[in-house]
Amino acid sequence: RTAPPRAEPQAEAAYEPQYEPQYEAQPEPVTPATPEPQPPLQDVNPEELFSQMAIATERQMSQASELDAMGAAATPPAPDDGASPMPPEPAAEPPARAGPLETAPAPDDPDVSLAMLNGNFATAVEVCLAQGRVADALILAASGGEELWAATRDQYLASNKSAFMSRLSAVVHQDFDRYVAESSLPAWKETLALIHTYASAEALQGLCNLLGERLEAEAGDASAAVLCYMCAANTVKAVELWHARYSEQSAGAAGGGGGGGERG
């Protein structure tokens, strides 16, 4: 009998690993938060709004304090090397500054003290003025009666001839006629402002006229004089100066035109 043919062994197929495709995880879409509807401005209670803001501020400050405390507790202590710690140096204090009314203490003068003990304010004032202690003299004079006060005040005002003291003396004594007659003409605006502020309504017209006359005669400033005459309601002098000024300008213009014609 014929034997069946022997089957040849088949080569085993090579093993190929199968790789599954890897897919990266896609982020989930973020849904934007829907803003909470805000109440209209007319419905907002100001007291509640400021109260909520104050509570939020206090909460933030409290959280910041807690974080600072935690950070301080976590800081390790400095190593002890056996040396005693040096105390911190005190901060340098700023130099003390004298207040606007702080002055040097007045010397203890026996003459002034004796006069005050005897109630002799006039002698005490005289001694203080001789020593240049004007403030002390004025304080003592104020306690010695109206007559002593006026005499001491006038003596002090007369001791200084500055422009400020002249203005102050005019205001104190209400002597504006003398002030306007002796005032500096370059500072005529200050003089005009002073008499408008402190002079009486009855005296103002005459003072403005006086200042205008000085400006017209001594300074030759017609524009300033016109303004003073207008403040004095002296329309006659104001119109007179205006007429003279424009007459001179018209004559000058006419003369210039005629000369040009002759040259031609």
Side-chain angles (χ1 to χ4, degrees):
R1 246 178 23 183
T2 303
R6 187 176 57 180
E8 297 181 358
Q10 296 180 358
E12 296 182 359
Y15 174 74
E16 295 182 1
Q18 300 294 327
Y19 294 96
E20 297 182 359
Q22 301 293 329
Y23 298 97
E24 295 182 358
Q26 299 295 330
E28 297 181 0
V30 179
T31 304
T34 304
E36 298 181 359
Q38 299 293 334
L41 292 178
Q42 60 269 19
D43 296 340
V44 175
N45 189 346
E47 295 182 358
E48 294 182 359
L49 177 62
F50 283 108
S51 177
Q52 294 175 1
M53 293 174 62
I55 293 174
T57 303
E58 291 180 358
R59 187 176 302 167
Q60 293 178 357
M61 294 177 63
S62 176
Q63 293 177 355
S65 301
E66 292 178 358
L67 292 176
D68 293 341
M70 294 174 61
T75 302
D80 187 6
D81 54 358
S84 58
M86 297 295 294
E89 296 182 0
E93 297 182 359
R97 299 195 312 180
L101 297 180
E102 294 182 5
T103 57
D108 188 6
D109 193 312
D111 296 335
V112 177
S113 300
L114 182 61
M116 290 180 60
L117 293 175
N118 294 328
N120 191 351
F121 288 100
T123 302
V125 169
E126 183 179 354
V127 173
C128 288
L129 288 177
Q131 296 178 355
R133 297 162 55 183
V134 180
D136 297 338
L138 292 173
I139 294 297
L140 290 169
S143 303
E146 184 177 354
E147 184 178 353
L148 179 60
W149 159 253
T152 307
R153 178 200 62 193
D154 295 344
Q155 185 176 353
Y156 169 65
L157 292 175
S159 64
N160 194 327
K161 298 300 183 181
S162 65
F164 170 75
M165 293 302 293
S166 298
R167 289 191 291 267
L168 181 60
S169 179
V171 173
V172 170
H173 296 103
Q174 291 292 297
D175 188 8
F176 296 108
D177 290 322
R178 179 180 177 182
Y179 175 73
V180 173
E182 298 178 354
S183 62
S184 174
L185 290 180
W188 66 270
K189 294 180 181 179
E190 296 179 3
T191 303
L192 186 62
L194 186 75
I195 59 180
H196 269 83
T197 303
Y198 295 103
S200 61
E202 295 78 11
L204 182 60
Q205 183 176 2
L207 293 171
C208 291
N209 272 322
L210 177 58
L211 183 58
E213 292 171 359
R214 288 194 61 201
L215 289 169
E216 180 183 2
E218 300 178 26
D221 192 345
S223 299
V226 166
L227 180 59
C228 292
Y229 288 140
M230 292 176 63
C231 292
N234 191 346
T235 55
V236 175
K237 287 293 297 182
V239 172
E240 180 182 339
L241 289 179
W242 276 336
H243 180 70
R245 179 178 179 181
Y246 286 111
S247 297
E248 293 177 358
Q249 293 180 352
S250 299
E262 292 177 358
R263 288 192 301 270

